[in-house]
Coordinates of all heavy atoms in Angstrom, one line a residue:
E30 N -28.4 3.4 32.3 CA -26.9 3.8 32.5 C -26.7 4.1 34.0 O -25.6 3.7 34.5 CB -26.7 5.0 31.6 CG -25.3 5.6 31.8 CD -25.1 6.9 31.0 OE1 -25.8 7.1 30.0 OE2 -24.3 7.7 31.4
I31 N -27.5 4.9 34.6 CA -27.4 5.2 36.0 C -27.4 3.9 36.9 O -26.7 3.7 37.8 CB -28.4 6.2 36.5 CG1 -28.2 7.6 35.8 CG2 -28.4 6.4 38.0 CD1 -27.0 8.3 36.3
F32 N -28.4 3.1 36.5 CA -28.6 1.8 37.3 C -27.4 0.9 37.3 O -26.9 0.4 38.3 CB -29.8 1.1 36.8 CG -30.2 -0.1 37.6 CD1 -30.8 0.1 38.9 CD2 -30.1 -1.4 37.1 CE1 -31.2 -1.0 39.6 CE2 -30.5 -2.5 37.9 CZ -31.0 -2.3 39.1
S33 N -26.8 0.8 36.1 CA -25.6 -0.1 35.9 C -24.4 0.6 36.6 O -23.6 -0.1 37.3 CB -25.3 -0.3 34.4 OG -26.4 -0.9 33.8
G34 N -24.2 1.9 36.4 CA -23.1 2.6 37.0 C -23.2 2.6 38.5 O -22.1 2.5 39.2
M35 N -24.4 2.6 39.1 CA -24.5 2.5 40.5 C -24.0 1.2 41.1 O -23.3 1.1 42.1 CB -26.0 2.7 40.9 CG -26.4 2.5 42.3 SD -28.2 2.6 42.5 CE -28.7 1.0 41.7
I36 N -24.4 0.1 40.4 CA -24.0 -1.2 40.8 C -22.5 -1.4 40.7 O -21.8 -2.0 41.5 CB -24.7 -2.3 40.1 CG1 -26.2 -2.2 40.4 CG2 -24.2 -3.7 40.4 CD1 -27.1 -3.0 39.6
K37 N -21.9 -0.8 39.6 CA -20.4 -0.9 39.4 C -19.7 -0.2 40.5 O -18.5 -0.6 40.9 CB -20.0 -0.3 38.1 CG -20.5 -1.2 36.9 CD -20.1 -0.5 35.6 CE -20.6 -1.3 34.4 NZ -20.3 -0.7 33.1
Q38 N -20.3 0.8 41.1 CA -19.6 1.5 42.2 C -19.9 0.9 43.6 O -19.5 1.4 44.6 CB -20.1 3.0 42.2 CG -19.7 3.8 41.0 CD -20.1 5.2 41.1 OE1 -20.5 5.7 42.1 NE2 -20.2 5.9 39.9
G39 N -20.5 -0.3 43.5 CA -20.7 -1.1 44.8 C -21.9 -0.6 45.6 O -22.0 -1.0 46.8
I40 N -22.8 0.1 45.0 CA -24.0 0.5 45.7 C -25.1 -0.5 45.3 O -25.6 -0.5 44.2 CB -24.4 1.9 45.4 CG1 -23.3 2.9 45.8 CG2 -25.7 2.4 46.1 CD1 -23.5 4.3 45.3
N41 N -25.5 -1.3 46.2 CA -26.5 -2.3 46.0 C -27.9 -1.7 46.0 O -28.3 -1.1 46.9 CB -26.4 -3.5 47.0 CG -25.1 -4.2 46.9 OD1 -24.6 -4.4 45.8 ND2 -24.6 -4.6 48.0
P42 N -28.7 -2.0 45.0 CA -30.1 -1.5 44.9 C -31.0 -2.1 46.0 O -30.8 -3.3 46.3 CB -30.6 -1.8 43.5 CG -29.7 -3.0 43.1 CD -28.4 -2.8 43.7
S43 N -31.9 -1.4 46.5 CA -32.9 -1.9 47.5 C -34.1 -2.3 46.8 O -34.3 -2.2 45.5 CB -33.2 -0.8 48.5 OG -33.8 0.3 47.9
S44 N -35.1 -2.9 47.5 CA -36.4 -3.2 47.0 C -37.1 -2.0 46.4 O -37.8 -2.1 45.3 CB -37.3 -3.9 48.0 OG -36.7 -5.1 48.5
E45 N -36.9 -0.8 47.1 CA -37.5 0.4 46.6 C -36.9 0.8 45.2 O -37.6 1.2 44.3 CB -37.3 1.5 47.6 CG -37.8 2.9 47.2 CD -39.3 2.9 47.0 OE1 -40.0 2.0 47.6 OE2 -39.8 3.8 46.3
T46 N -35.6 0.6 45.1 CA -34.9 0.9 43.8 C -35.5 0.0 42.7 O -35.8 0.5 41.6 CB -33.4 0.7 43.9 OG1 -32.9 1.4 45.0 CG2 -32.7 1.2 42.7
L47 N -35.6 -1.3 43.0 CA -36.1 -2.2 42.0 C -37.5 -1.9 41.6 O -37.9 -1.9 40.4 CB -36.0 -3.6 42.6 CG -36.1 -4.8 41.6 CD1 -35.0 -4.7 40.6 CD2 -36.1 -6.1 42.4
Y48 N -38.3 -1.4 42.6 CA -39.7 -1.0 42.3 C -39.7 0.2 41.4 O -40.6 0.2 40.5 CB -40.4 -0.7 43.7 CG -41.8 -0.3 43.5 CD1 -42.9 -1.2 43.4 CD2 -42.1 1.1 43.4 CE1 -44.2 -0.7 43.2 CE2 -43.4 1.5 43.3 CZ -44.4 0.6 43.1 OH -45.7 1.0 42.9
I49 N -38.9 1.2 41.7 CA -38.8 2.4 40.8 C -38.6 2.0 39.4 O -39.3 2.5 38.5 CB -37.8 3.4 41.4 CG1 -38.3 4.0 42.7 CG2 -37.5 4.5 40.4 CD1 -37.2 4.8 43.4
V50 N -37.6 1.2 39.1 CA -37.2 0.9 37.8 C -38.3 0.0 37.1 O -38.7 0.3 35.9 CB -35.8 0.1 37.7 CG1 -35.5 -0.3 36.3 CG2 -34.7 1.0 38.3
M51 N -38.8 -1.0 37.8 CA -39.8 -1.8 37.2 C -41.1 -1.1 37.0 O -41.8 -1.3 35.9 CB -40.1 -3.1 38.1 CG -38.9 -4.1 38.0 SD -39.3 -5.5 39.0 CE -38.0 -6.6 38.6
D52 N -41.5 -0.2 37.9 CA -42.7 0.6 37.8 C -42.6 1.6 36.6 O -43.6 1.9 36.0 CB -43.0 1.3 39.1 CG -44.3 2.0 39.0 OD1 -45.3 1.3 38.8 OD2 -44.3 3.2 39.2
S53 N -41.4 2.1 36.4 CA -41.2 3.0 35.2 C -41.5 2.3 33.9 O -42.2 2.8 33.0 CB -39.8 3.5 35.2 OG -39.5 4.2 36.4
Y54 N -41.1 1.0 33.8 CA -41.4 0.2 32.6 C -42.9 -0.1 32.5 O -43.5 0.1 31.4 CB -40.6 -1.1 32.6 CG -39.1 -0.9 32.3 CD1 -38.1 -1.4 33.1 CD2 -38.6 -0.2 31.2 CE1 -36.8 -1.3 32.9 CE2 -37.3 -0.1 30.9 CZ -36.4 -0.6 31.8 OH -35.0 -0.5 31.5
A55 N -43.4 -0.5 33.6 CA -44.9 -0.9 33.6 C -45.7 0.3 33.3 O -46.7 0.2 32.6 CB -45.2 -1.5 35.0
R56 N -45.4 1.5 33.8 CA -46.2 2.7 33.6 C -46.2 3.1 32.1 O -47.1 3.6 31.5 CB -45.7 3.9 34.4 CG -46.6 5.1 34.3 CD -46.2 6.2 35.3 NE -44.8 6.6 35.1 CZ -43.9 6.4 36.1 NH1 -44.2 5.7 37.2 NH2 -42.6 6.7 35.9
A57 N -45.0 2.8 31.4 CA -44.9 3.1 30.0 C -45.3 2.0 29.1 O -45.1 2.0 27.9 CB -43.4 3.5 29.7
R58 N -45.9 1.0 29.7 CA -46.4 -0.2 29.0 C -45.3 -1.0 28.3 O -45.5 -1.7 27.3 CB -47.5 0.2 28.0 CG -48.7 0.8 28.6 CD -49.8 1.1 27.6 NE -51.0 1.7 28.3 CZ -52.0 0.9 28.9 NH1 -51.8 -0.4 28.9 NH2 -53.0 1.5 29.4
R59 N -44.1 -0.9 28.9 CA -43.0 -1.8 28.4 C -42.9 -3.0 29.4 O -41.9 -3.1 30.1 CB -41.7 -1.0 28.4 CG -41.8 0.2 27.4 CD -40.4 0.8 27.1 NE -40.4 1.8 26.1 CZ -39.4 2.3 25.6 NH1 -38.2 1.9 25.9 NH2 -39.4 3.3 24.7
I60 N -43.9 -3.8 29.3 CA -44.0 -4.9 30.2 C -42.9 -5.9 30.0 O -42.3 -6.5 30.9 CB -45.4 -5.7 30.0 CG1 -46.5 -4.7 30.1 CG2 -45.5 -6.7 31.1 CD1 -46.6 -3.8 31.3
S61 N -42.5 -6.1 28.7 CA -41.5 -7.1 28.4 C -40.1 -6.6 29.0 O -39.3 -7.5 29.5 CB -41.3 -7.3 26.9 OG -41.0 -6.0 26.3
K62 N -39.9 -5.3 29.1 CA -38.6 -4.8 29.6 C -38.6 -5.1 31.1 O -37.5 -5.4 31.7 CB -38.5 -3.3 29.4 CG -38.3 -3.0 27.9 CD -36.9 -3.3 27.4 CE -35.9 -2.4 28.0 NZ -34.5 -2.6 27.5
A63 N -39.7 -4.9 31.8 CA -39.8 -5.2 33.2 C -39.5 -6.6 33.6 O -38.8 -7.0 34.5 CB -41.2 -4.7 33.8
I64 N -40.1 -7.5 32.7 CA -40.0 -8.9 32.9 C -38.5 -9.3 32.6 O -37.9 -10.2 33.3 CB -41.0 -9.8 32.1 CG1 -42.4 -9.5 32.6 CG2 -40.7 -11.3 32.2 CD1 -43.5 -10.1 31.8
Q65 N -37.9 -8.7 31.6 CA -36.5 -9.0 31.2 C -35.6 -8.6 32.3 O -34.6 -9.3 32.6 CB -36.2 -8.3 29.9 CG -36.8 -9.0 28.7 CD -36.6 -8.1 27.4 OE1 -35.7 -7.2 27.4 NE2 -37.3 -8.4 26.4
L66 N -35.9 -7.4 33.0 CA -35.1 -7.0 34.1 C -35.1 -8.0 35.2 O -34.1 -8.2 35.8 CB -35.6 -5.6 34.5 CG -34.8 -5.0 35.7 CD1 -33.4 -4.8 35.4 CD2 -35.5 -3.7 36.2
F67 N -36.3 -8.5 35.5 CA -36.3 -9.5 36.5 C -35.4 -10.8 36.2 O -34.8 -11.3 37.1 CB -37.8 -10.0 36.7 CG -37.9 -11.1 37.7 CD1 -37.9 -10.9 39.1 CD2 -38.2 -12.4 37.3 CE1 -38.0 -11.9 40.0 CE2 -38.3 -13.5 38.2 CZ -38.2 -13.2 39.5
G68 N -35.5 -11.1 34.9 CA -34.6 -12.3 34.5 C -33.1 -12.0 34.6 O -32.3 -12.9 34.6
R69 N -32.8 -10.7 34.5 CA -31.4 -10.3 34.5 C -30.8 -9.8 35.9 O -29.8 -9.3 35.9 CB -31.2 -9.2 33.5 CG -31.4 -9.6 32.0 CD -31.4 -8.3 31.2 NE -30.1 -7.6 31.4 CZ -30.0 -6.3 31.1 NH1 -31.1 -5.6 30.7 NH2 -28.9 -5.7 31.3
L70 N -31.6 -10.0 36.9 CA -31.2 -9.5 38.2 C -29.9 -10.1 38.7 O -29.1 -9.4 39.4 CB -32.3 -9.8 39.2 CG -33.6 -9.0 39.1 CD1 -34.6 -9.4 40.2 CD2 -33.3 -7.5 39.2
E71 N -29.6 -11.3 38.3 CA -28.3 -11.9 38.8 C -27.1 -11.2 38.1 O -26.0 -11.2 38.7 CB -28.3 -13.4 38.4 CG -29.3 -14.2 39.2 CD -29.2 -15.7 38.9 OE1 -28.4 -16.0 38.0 OE2 -29.9 -16.5 39.5
E72 N -27.3 -10.6 37.0 CA -26.2 -9.8 36.3 C -25.9 -8.6 37.2 O -24.8 -8.1 37.1 CB -26.6 -9.4 34.9 CG -26.9 -10.5 34.0 CD -27.3 -10.0 32.6 OE1 -27.1 -8.8 32.3 OE2 -27.9 -10.8 31.8

């Protein structure tokens, strides 16, 4: 929710932001969510 709201407000995520989100999924063993996020980056 925060990630989507941030982008709607015109704040573009950096590589560090992307790392934080993907690493959160990987640490929780939600590998599919991290890979899905990569596929949805254009959104």
Side-chain angles (χ1 to χ4, degrees):
E30 177 186 333
I31 292 289
F32 187 69
S33 300
M35 174 186 71
I36 294 170
K37 288 178 182 178
Q38 293 182 18
I40 301 175
N41 296 322
S43 62
S44 299
E45 179 64 23
T46 309
L47 197 59
Y48 177 85
I49 289 170
V50 177
M51 288 184 172
D52 186 59
S53 299
Y54 287 128
R56 184 173 57 247
R58 298 185 177 276
R59 298 194 176 191
I60 309 304
S61 59
K62 292 286 289 183
I64 294 175
Q65 288 172 14
L66 177 62
F67 175 76
R69 295 173 51 206
L70 286 180
E71 293 182 355
E72 298 178 17

